Amino acid sequence: MSDNAILTTALVILGLPLLSYVLTFFFGRMLPRKGDFIGVSFMGAAWILAIRIFICFWKIGDPAYRVEASFTWVDLGSLHLDAGMLVDGMTSVMLMVVTTVSFLVHLYSTGYMHGDRRYERFFAFLGFFTFSMLGIVLSNNLFFLYVFWELVGLSSYLLIGFFFHKHSAANANKKAFLTNRVGDYGFWLGILTFFTVCGTLNYFELFAHVHAGTISGHLLAWAGVGLFMGCVGKSAQIPLHIWLPDAMEGPTPVSALIHAATMVAAGVYMVARLSPLFGATAMLVILYVGAITAFVAATIALVKTDFKRVLAFSTLSQLGYMVMSLGAGDSVNAMFHLTTHAMFKGLLFLTAGSVIHAVHSQEITDMGGLRKKMPITFWTFMIGTLALSGVPGFSGFFSKDGILGSALAFGMTDGHYIPFILGIAAALLTPFYMFRLTFRAFFGKPADQERFDHAHESPWTMTVPLIVLAILSIFVSGFKTADKGWFSKFAVPYDVPAIAAEFHLEASGGHEDVALADEHAAPAHEEPAGEGHETAVSGAEHAEAGHGGHHDVRHTAHIRAMFMSILMVILGIGGAWWVYFMHKVDPSRIQARMSGLYTVLQGQYFFDEFYAATVYRATLWWAAVCAAFDRYVIDGIVNGTGYLTRMMSWASGLFDHYVVDGAVNGVAVALQGAGEGFRRLQTGRVQTYLVYTSASVLVLIVVYKVL
Amino acid sequence: MGEHILSWMTFFPVIGAAVIAFIPSERKEIIKTVAAAAAAVPLILAVQLFVNFDRGTAAFQFVEHYTWIKSFNIEYYMGIDGLSVPMVLLTALLSFLCIIASWNISKATKGYFALFLILEAAMIGVFCALDFFLFYLFWELMLLPMYFLIGIWGGPRREYAAIKFFLYTLAGSVLMLLAMIAFYLNVQDPNTGGHTFNMLFMMDQANHSAWLKATDIRHLLWLGLFIGFAIKVPIFPFHTWLPDAHVEAPTAVSVILAGVLLKMGTYGLLRISYPILPDAAVWFSFTLAIFGAINILYGAYCAMAQTDMKKLVAYSSISHMGYVLLGMSAMTSAGINGAVLQMFNHGTITAMMFLCVGVIYDRAHHREINGFGGLGLQMPLYTSVFSFALFAAIGLPGLSGFVSEAMIFIGVFPVYRTVAIISALGIIIGAAYVLWMLQRVFLGPKNEKYDDLPDISGREMFTLVPIGILVLLLGIYPMPVLDLMKVSLNNLIKVVAG
Amino acid sequence: MNVGLPHFLTVGAILFALGLFAVMSRRNAIGILMGVELMLNASNINFVAFSRYVEHAVDGQIMAAFVIVLAAAEAAVALAIVLAMYRNFGTANADVVQSLKR
């Protein structure tokens, strides 16, 4: 395939789900079967095209080979924003992952969602999600990554809230969107920082800029943490993980596609794709966040009884693994685990859907003994569980082992052992909670006979995806670790110096950026000298160093980690078998003995309660304060001014009425009174007048005579 | 019409109003048809304008220049550039759609439509006037129909709202009037040597008298103009007329109020304050950025606490106008282009939101957010349309609001980083209040009380769909509008920031 | 006792005062007319007296003749008015007749 053909094919892959969305959304109701065949067939076509691209890159066999095309989206003379596509090995793997799971979920949904009143909407939204997710995968710059990042957020919102007539679903989708927005806030600021300093958002140009030291020091650290916040939100890392368990309110195919296999992995993909942009400080943050998430989520999964919630916390834990791997500088294994996890976790969720479809309950306390009723579901579930637990031979083993090895290697070189310890502890917990689930749901006696009697195996549209995913869960690893198997043809750490040379940007030492110099005060002495040299030591080069200089350490670490993780798997499965299959220990007694711990775990470490008591309350309180301030103070001043003006006019009115007008009226009144008096004189009798005249004459005479 | 296209756009609605005056008031259908036709003409002309506008020059186009009142050197001087074209297009589009949206007005139909057309004329006039006196005339002319439209056809507290609106804006106009007279007396017409109201002469610093060149005076004049325009925007703390006016005004009037009238404040700043007093603009820019940040966050928080849908949308307008101020303060290409694009986008998006609120108000006769619930099942089409508008409002990529907000942040981040970081919190809070409202109104179990509410009607869709398409297209590819304005605005930046 | 001008004037003054009193006090129109006649005659006495006692003054007598003629004419007109008044109002009382007053 030529470069152009690759790009065109990728564009068609991107366009197909969008077309499916448009057709199903606007015309679905008029079509037979409400147009579900559009979604399924279009996704099937996209899948085949993705396979084509995948094979093409297999043949090329060069992980550094990339095809890129951009056009100017916004051009303001001084501001250019480009839109563009990037296809390389990593992209082709992600295209495969997304289209495979999406196609299978589409197919599965024709059975699972059958008879829903908003059936066509469901397929439309699935199409829209697939489009957005492929957009993330295919984008070649941060701006459009952010665009599609938000769009998957929207489709997640729409699909979590698909059963929006339930309050819980309506709460969950709002929570998911807002929690993601918090992460996106940091993501956006990180993007702005990179754009402001480097003047570009193209991935590879940014790598070159980082290498050349255009951006360095605190700015790089903060920008990296900002970008990582986006990952924390989307990949549901602590402390923004709270939305993912609630997101299980969505239909189960959605949980499989979005909240297990693809969208939640977008954060991991983003950090892996941009690994050279993260400085040492950011990497350390990533490492610890991932490790803590991996462990904490696994502990919660121990006590949950909701089938989907156990899987949700397991997803959190596995995402924590991937993020931990990113933090340890091993983005390749993160991507590898992303790929394997997409297969087996997608499978697990789809089997969960199959079970829920059969027993109409999500509580494992309502299940039991389903093994005989639903053989296909059971066996595929078993494969998924084994893969997730990291049983040797299954795909999860190779990818998880790689991650733990990298974490240990990082500990051995840099002294940070805690992440590895947390990781290995989670590796013990994972098989335990998964087999607890298996034994309670599929083995033993039915807890609810009536539900059990109605249970039945699902139709072929639902079991075929299970079987396909089960096969992939076994074979996707190629029975080799990432650096030895097929995956090494598709993803290796970036060769940053070569990329920099491509853009004619050579390392020039860590000079402070000039663009932000006015406002930004970053004195160099803030960080201790030992760790302060955060120039171009990025994750990829980190890993590069791991490959080269510390090869022995790495090798030793991998061997040790492998043995430890196998031991953990045995212990975990054995423990679960002992407690939940042999019933040698009554779990309720453990629960009673450690009631405090149990309460904390059951309460999911009370993150929700904490946020409810602090963030939510503070926000609502502050909103109320603002509104009250607006109403009573600002508007009060306005109305007060109005009132004052009215009062003044009233006072001046009084003055006018009584003083000014009073004087005028007073004259009138006086004149009127005088008139009244004089009127008396005028009797109309001539004789009276004569009297007056005579009297006046007399008076005149007297006056004249006397004076 | 090609010759005097701006005059035709401005005065055709007046002709329509005059015709309506002669139609007997009980012939309501004829009145409405005439009004729609009279508003359609400026829309058609606006399309012509859009096609024929020369995107390559910063000069004013479609100029009409006549002497009007000789003794005071007042001219009839109309013309548009990249800053005014989007506003004129927006006004023509929204006015027409609002007349369609007002089809249900039964009280004093004749007066309503006549006033509405006069309002449209005044609005287009403001955006086209290049003579300060003419500008002021249209500016004041706008108030009267608005006052009556709120005061007569409004809600229960309409008199209070109308008077508050009128007095508040009038107070702002007085300051503007003083500044205008100061300019008139201190700007010399280079051809005749006399006083002038010509804005282009005012923009040329060489024409300023010695008195006008003094820094203190310039700052004082800037502040006068700023307060005058700030009331219109409205900028905190001059904003409280807005929620009241919106809540009381009939739907279509709210649309015009939020969609067009608010833009006049920022338009005035960019058309008058920036080019005439560029040094004062630079002096004030950081304060302006702070005002922008306050508007964004304060508006958003206030919106969160509202329980009246219309009030919520009104406060969200305050929040969104904050982005415009923020973008303007940066004085970078991305910032100012983003700000003007945001003015346009906010006009369309907020219009959709107000029209949607009007739809539910027409049916349920209240707007209490907590009084609804589960409308998503009862009115699916309406829910889709309203959600579309709401997601556009919270800056979802692919819809136009995102493009302008992103450009504003790109523009302001290098200049005022801290302010930008704080303002960006608005994207979280904005999403919070919108989604919370969405949940309370549309999601949740179905409310039996509204079992018989019909879904959105064809006429209502007719008013919403064109705006929706515009929002979507500009979200996917914003260049058609950016192309209109970028040359003029980049020139403006050159004038202001050197 | 030598009768001189003061005596005549005194009689005239008394007569005038009586006439004036009659005009002012009488309610009957005829009475008022009679008072007017008295006052005219009082002035006649004065005219004649001055004509007798002042040198080369004949005009006093002429004036007296004029006054007598005027008084006759006045009496004729006034009595005609009184008659018309009596006919219209049924009385000669001047106070009752006041239709012009309002």
Side-chain angles (χ1 to χ4, degrees):
Chain A
M1 274 172 109
S2 68
D3 287 1
N4 261 337
I6 292 174
L7 286 170
T8 318
T9 316
L11 203 59
V12 173
I13 294 177
L14 183 65
L16 281 171
L18 183 63
L19 198 60
S20 154
Y21 161 68
V22 172
L23 292 177
T24 327
F25 189 87
F26 289 105
F27 310 109
R29 211 167 304 169
M30 311 162 198
L31 295 170
R33 290 186 58 84
K34 288 189 169 181
D36 61 354
F37 58 89
I38 293 178
V40 176
S41 57
F42 278 32
M43 281 321 300
W47 189 38
I48 291 163
L49 292 174
I51 291 173
R52 258 178 77 79
I53 290 187
F54 185 79
I55 290 171
C56 171
F57 274 88
W58 183 293
K59 281 184 189 152
I60 292 168
D62 175 11
Y65 185 78
R66 68 175 203 272
V67 192
E68 238 183 300
S70 303
F71 73 96
T72 305
W73 183 63
V74 163
D75 172 20
L76 294 179
S78 56
L79 172 82
H80 289 268
L81 289 174
D82 287 350
M85 263 196 342
L86 161 73
V87 186
D88 66 355
M90 208 198 273
T91 312
S92 68
V93 173
M94 283 302 286
L95 285 178
M96 274 304 293
V97 170
V98 175
T99 51
T100 310
V101 182
S102 178
F103 168 63
L104 294 174
V105 165
H106 270 81
L107 183 62
Y108 181 90
S109 302
T110 56
Y112 188 84
M113 296 301 288
H114 188 77
D116 192 274
R117 60 180 286 191
R118 294 168 76 231
Y119 186 72
E120 77 286 349
R121 279 289 164 97
F122 184 79
F123 279 88
F125 292 160
L126 277 187
F128 186 71
F129 166 76
T130 313
F131 160 72
S132 325
M133 187 66 209
L134 291 170
I136 290 183
V137 172
L138 286 169
S139 183
N140 80 334
N141 66 60
L142 276 172
F143 190 82
F144 274 85
L145 177 65
Y146 184 78
V147 165
F148 288 110
W149 192 265
E150 291 285 298
L151 290 182
V152 289
L154 171 71
S155 31
S156 164
Y157 174 85
L158 294 172
L159 285 167
I160 295 171
F162 192 73
F163 300 132
F164 62 75
H165 50 88
K166 290 194 294 183
H167 276 304
S168 52
N171 278 324
N173 69 348
K174 180 185 67 182
K175 186 173 174 182
F177 197 92
L178 292 182
T179 316
N180 269 303
R181 268 271 156 135
V182 175
D184 294 347
Y185 168 70
F187 191 29
W188 178 232
L189 292 180
I191 294 173
L192 284 177
T193 310
F194 277 115
F195 188 66
T196 304
V197 179
C198 303
T200 178
L201 286 173
N202 180 286
Y203 299 156
F204 289 88
E205 284 178 42
L206 282 176
F207 300 163
H209 276 291
V210 170
H211 182 72
T214 316
I215 179 167
S216 60
H218 288 272
L219 215 49
L220 181 62
W222 281 114
V225 170
L227 291 189
F228 179 60
M229 259 181 88
C231 168
V232 170
K234 191 99 348 192
S235 288
Q237 299 296 297
I238 286 173
L240 297 182
H241 65 288
I242 47 163
W243 66 271
L244 188 60
D246 290 16
M248 296 303 134
E249 289 296 336
T252 307
V254 169
S255 308
L257 174 61
I258 300 185
H259 305 116
T262 56
M263 184 190 84
V264 286
V268 176
Y269 169 76
M270 184 266 286
V271 177
R273 173 58 87 193
L274 302 173
S275 52
L277 301 185
F278 295 90
T281 314
M283 293 298 266
L284 214 55
V285 172
I286 295 172
L287 178 69
Y288 272 94
V289 167
I292 292 168
T293 309
F295 177 73
V296 166
T299 57
I300 299 171
L302 291 177
V303 298
K304 289 290 163 187
T305 55
D306 182 313
F307 204 114
K308 279 179 77 180
R309 275 194 177 238
V310 175
L311 292 181
F313 280 103
S314 149
T315 307
L316 281 179
S317 173
Q318 299 302 309
L319 288 168
Y321 270 129
M322 298 176 210
V323 170
M324 182 170 84
S325 173
L326 295 168
D330 187 2
S331 51
V332 174
N333 256 318
M335 286 304 294
F336 192 46
H337 195 55
L338 189 162
T339 311
T340 57
H341 176 256
M343 300 304 149
F344 60 70
K345 189 51 71 61
L347 168 64
L348 287 172
F349 266 108
L350 292 186
T351 48
S354 180
V355 170
I356 293 162
H357 196 63
V359 298
H360 300 290
S361 168
Q362 302 195 8
E363 290 294 317
I364 52 175
T365 48
D366 291 339
M367 300 172 187
L370 292 173
R371 178 167 45 109
K372 291 166 201 139
K373 280 268 182 179
M374 313 175 72
I376 303 175
T377 306
F378 166 69
W379 284 111
T380 49
F381 185 83
M382 263 326 279
I383 292 168
T385 303
L386 291 170
L388 174 59
S389 306
V391 172
F394 290 88
S395 60
F397 168 74
F398 296 100
S399 53
K400 193 194 279 184
D401 180 49
I403 289 171
L404 289 170
S406 298
L408 184 58
F410 187 83
M412 286 160 79
T413 50
D414 293 58
H416 289 283
Y417 278 106
I418 297 169
F420 172 72
I421 295 167
L422 290 173
I424 205 79
L428 169 68
L429 299 176
T430 310
F432 185 84
Y433 66 67
M434 280 316 292
F435 276 89
R436 164 176 174 265
L437 200 58
T438 315
F439 291 137
R440 291 194 65 170
F442 291 98
F443 290 83
K445 281 198 278 291
D448 187 330
Q449 195 60 43
E450 197 183 333
R451 286 182 195 279
F452 182 79
D453 292 340
H454 284 98
H456 54 86
E457 186 56 281
S458 302
W460 71 269
T461 47
M462 288 169 72
T463 50
V464 166
L466 298 183
I467 295 164
V468 174
L469 283 173
I471 294 166
L472 284 171
S473 298
I474 299 171
F475 291 99
V476 73
S477 67
F479 306 107
K480 287 203 173 92
T481 51
D483 48 346
K484 297 200 183 70
W486 64 269
F487 205 72
S488 60
K489 285 188 180 181
F490 291 87
V492 291
Y494 291 110
D495 185 1
V496 175
I499 294 167
E502 195 182 318
F503 291 99
H504 309 294
L505 284 164
E506 301 302 327
S508 61
H511 60 74
E512 202 58 53
D513 58 295
V514 272
L516 292 178
D518 52 347
E519 218 200 336
H520 155 238
H525 56 77
E526 253 183 37
E527 242 181 303
E531 276 185 293
H533 60 88
E534 194 183 320
T535 49
V537 185
S538 57
E541 284 164 72
H542 226 74
E544 195 64 23
H547 274 290
H550 303 287
H551 192 79
D552 295 339
V553 176
R554 226 179 139 69
H555 187 69
T556 328
H558 268 281
I559 301 293
R560 284 185 194 169
M562 193 175 77
F563 280 113
M564 282 163 92
S565 75
I566 292 172
L567 183 67
M568 292 300 154
V569 169
I570 294 167
L571 284 177
I573 296 177
W577 179 76
W578 191 252
V579 177
Y580 294 103
F581 191 73
M582 302 301 288
H583 300 291
K584 295 287 181 198
V585 182
D586 185 4
S588 58
R589 273 179 56 204
I590 308 176
Q591 184 182 322
R593 190 166 305 165
M594 298 196 280
S595 61
L597 183 64
Y598 178 79
T599 316
V600 170
L601 293 182
Q602 194 63 47
Q604 303 167 20
Y605 292 87
F606 302 113
F607 271 98
D608 283 320
E609 286 74 9
F610 174 73
Y611 289 136
T614 54
V615 181
Y616 303 163
R617 258 180 85 174
T619 308
L620 289 178
W621 176 80
W622 182 242
V625 166
C626 276
F629 179 78
D630 202 63
R631 183 145 171 222
Y632 296 110
V633 180
I634 306 267
D635 215 24
I637 290 171
V638 173
N639 283 339
T641 314
Y643 185 72
L644 219 66
T645 318
R646 260 176 53 202
M647 281 295 108
M648 275 171 64
S649 74
W650 179 72
S652 84
L654 285 185
F655 181 84
D656 202 53
H657 190 80
Y658 290 105
V659 182
V660 179
D661 228 22
V664 175
N665 287 342
V667 171
V669 166
L671 283 176
Q672 199 181 9
E676 283 292 326
F678 286 119
R679 221 179 92 152
R680 299 268 159 72
L681 292 179
Q682 203 211 6
T683 55
R685 269 188 1 226
V686 189
Q687 289 159 323
T688 323
Y689 301 157
L690 209 53
V691 172
Y692 299 149
T693 324
S694 314
S696 320
V697 172
L698 264 176
V699 168
L700 279 176
I701 289 169
V702 170
V703 167
Y704 182 72
K705 272 290 166 195
V706 175
L707 302 173
Chain B
M1 283 192 183
E3 193 97 337
H4 301 288
I5 186 165
L6 296 183
S7 293
W8 275 112
M9 282 184 79
T10 310
F11 294 108
F12 200 89
V14 179
I15 298 173
V19 171
I20 286 176
F22 288 105
I23 302 173
S25 47
E26 66 275 2
R27 309 293 293 273
K28 289 183 177 170
E29 284 305 315
I30 298 179
I31 289 174
K32 290 181 208 168
T33 316
V34 169
V41 170
L43 182 60
I44 295 164
L45 292 175
V47 172
Q48 196 189 338
L49 215 59
F50 178 78
V51 173
N52 292 342
F53 185 79
D54 181 1
R55 284 135 171 94
T57 170
F60 286 95
Q61 304 178 33
F62 305 100
V63 171
E64 295 170 37
H65 199 163
Y66 304 100
T67 305
W68 180 21
I69 304 176
K70 191 116 206 242
S71 48
F72 291 103
N73 293 326
I74 295 169
E75 293 161 335
Y76 179 78
Y77 190 7
M78 308 271 271
I80 48 172
D81 68 349
L83 171 59
S84 26
V85 165
M87 298 299 113
V88 172
L89 299 181
L90 182 69
T91 310
L93 175 68
L94 290 186
S95 300
F96 174 71
L97 293 178
C98 281
I99 282 186
I100 306 293
S102 308
W103 222 251
N104 289 349
I105 294 284
S106 54
K107 171 179 170 186
T109 317
K110 184 170 161 179
Y112 179 88
F113 285 98
L115 284 170
F116 212 101
L117 289 171
I118 292 171
L119 179 65
E120 181 185 3
M123 291 186 300
I124 296 179
V126 167
F127 289 129
C128 294
L130 289 180
D131 184 278
F132 206 148
F133 189 86
L134 194 63
F135 177 89
Y136 187 80
L137 200 77
F138 282 126
W139 182 279
E140 294 296 303
L141 181 62
M142 208 166 60
L143 289 187
L144 279 167
M146 206 55 180
Y147 172 77
F148 288 116
L149 285 172
I150 298 174
I152 296 175
W153 289 271
R157 287 175 78 229
R158 53 180 177 261
E159 277 104 354
Y160 169 75
I163 288 174
K164 196 171 176 182
F165 163 77
F166 191 83
L167 290 182
Y168 225 134
T169 9
L170 206 61
S173 308
V174 169
L175 291 170
M176 192 166 87
L177 180 68
L178 291 176
M180 176 176 89
I181 293 168
F183 285 135
Y184 172 69
L185 296 175
N186 288 286
V187 173
Q188 208 179 33
D189 184 335
N191 303 323
T192 64
H195 301 311
T196 181
F197 280 113
N198 187 324
M199 281 193 208
L200 267 63
F201 291 148
M202 290 180 180
M203 289 172 197
D204 188 350
Q205 306 297 312
N207 297 334
H208 289 192
S209 74
W211 182 80
L212 193 55
K213 283 197 167 92
T215 315
D216 291 349
I217 297 295
R218 294 175 81 83
H219 289 180
L220 204 65
L221 285 173
W222 166 274
L223 287 177
L225 284 174
F226 174 74
I227 294 175
F229 293 134
I231 287 171
K232 204 78 171 189
V233 171
I235 297 174
F236 174 91
F238 307 113
H239 64 274
T240 51
W241 63 267
L242 180 81
D244 284 317
H246 271 317
V247 168
E248 301 308 326
T251 302
V253 176
S254 287
V255 171
I256 290 295
L257 196 57
V260 183
L261 256 65
L262 303 194
K263 310 301 172 297
M264 298 204 165
T266 43
Y267 173 81
L269 283 172
L270 286 172
R271 166 64 72 233
I272 293 173
S273 305
Y274 269 55
I276 299 182
L277 302 166
D279 46 323
V282 173
W283 163 73
F284 198 74
S285 63
F286 183 67
T287 319
L288 192 63
I290 301 266
F291 272 119
I294 293 176
N295 255 38
I296 293 171
L297 295 178
Y298 184 81
Y301 276 118
C302 284
M304 194 182 281
Q306 302 306 322
T307 54
D308 181 320
M309 275 159 103
K310 225 172 173 183
K311 227 170 185 168
L312 187 144
V313 178
Y315 276 107
S316 85
S317 283
I318 296 174
S319 183
H320 286 125
M321 289 309 283
Y323 288 106
V324 178
L325 299 175
L326 193 66
M328 281 164 55
S329 73
M331 299 194 185
T332 53
S333 182
I336 291 203
N337 278 292
V340 178
L341 186 62
Q342 169 80 352
M343 280 157 69
F344 186 85
N345 290 341
H346 175 253
T348 49
I349 294 168
T350 207
M352 275 192 90
M353 291 205 283
F354 275 118
L355 289 171
C356 285
V357 174
V359 168
I360 192 67
Y361 186 66
D362 281 349
R363 284 161 174 69
H365 306 292
H366 75 96
R367 297 181 302 254
E368 228 4 73
I369 293 173
N370 295 322
F372 293 107
L375 287 186
L377 291 174
Q378 179 66 34
M379 307 166 75
L381 190 57
Y382 173 65
T383 307
S384 305
V385 175
F386 204 169
S387 308
F388 178 89
L390 290 174
F391 276 107
I394 64 178
L396 190 85
L399 305 177
S400 60
F402 168 74
V403 182
S404 42
E405 278 176 28
M407 279 171 63
I408 286 165
F409 277 115
I410 288 172
V412 86
F413 193 77
V415 187
Y416 301 120
R417 190 154 47 136
T418 318
V419 180
I421 290 173
I422 294 168
S423 315
L425 281 170
I427 66 174
I428 306 175
I429 307 159
Y433 68 74
V434 163
L435 293 187
W436 195 27
M437 179 188 115
L438 193 67
Q439 180 188 1
R440 285 180 288 172
V441 174
F442 295 106
L443 310 185
K446 203 165 147 180
N447 193 340
E448 290 91 21
K449 211 161 90 189
Y450 299 114
D451 265 352
D452 49 352
L453 286 193
D455 207 340
I456 191 163
S457 73
R459 180 181 58 80
E460 288 157 342
M461 281 303 274
F462 178 76
T463 61
L464 284 161
V465 166
I467 314 182
I469 290 174
L470 207 57
V471 168
L472 184 66
L473 287 183
L474 289 182
I476 293 169
Y477 191 62
M479 281 317 281
V481 170
L482 286 174
D483 267 335
L484 284 178
M485 58 202 195
K486 69 177 181 189
V487 176
S488 295
L489 294 180
N490 288 348
N491 185 56
L492 176 67
I493 296 162
K494 219 176 291 162
V495 168
V496 176
Chain C
M1 188 181 110
N2 193 12
V3 176
L5 184 61
H7 297 96
F8 285 100
L9 292 182
T10 309
V11 171
I14 291 167
L15 206 57
F16 186 84
L18 286 172
L20 184 61
F21 181 73
V23 168
M24 290 190 303
S25 59
R26 301 304 293 189
R27 294 281 178 272
N28 194 312
I30 305 288
I32 295 168
L33 277 180
M34 287 165 75
V36 171
E37 289 302 317
L38 277 179
M39 283 155 73
L40 287 170
N41 283 334
S43 60
N44 275 350
I45 288 173
N46 281 13
F47 275 127
V48 174
F50 280 117
S51 166
R52 168 72 179 81
Y53 288 98
V54 178
E55 297 289 323
H56 316 295
V58 203
D59 22 353
Q61 295 178 16
I62 296 164
M63 271 299 173
F66 264 116
V67 169
I68 289 164
V69 173
L70 268 173
E74 178 250 308
V77 173
L79 280 173
I81 290 172
V82 170
L83 268 177
M85 187 175 101
Y86 186 81
R87 208 174 292 149
N88 274 322
F89 296 96
T91 177
N93 190 332
D95 279 0
V96 178
V97 183
Q98 43 179 311
S99 62
L100 275 179
K101 194 176 170 184
R102 307 226 156 73

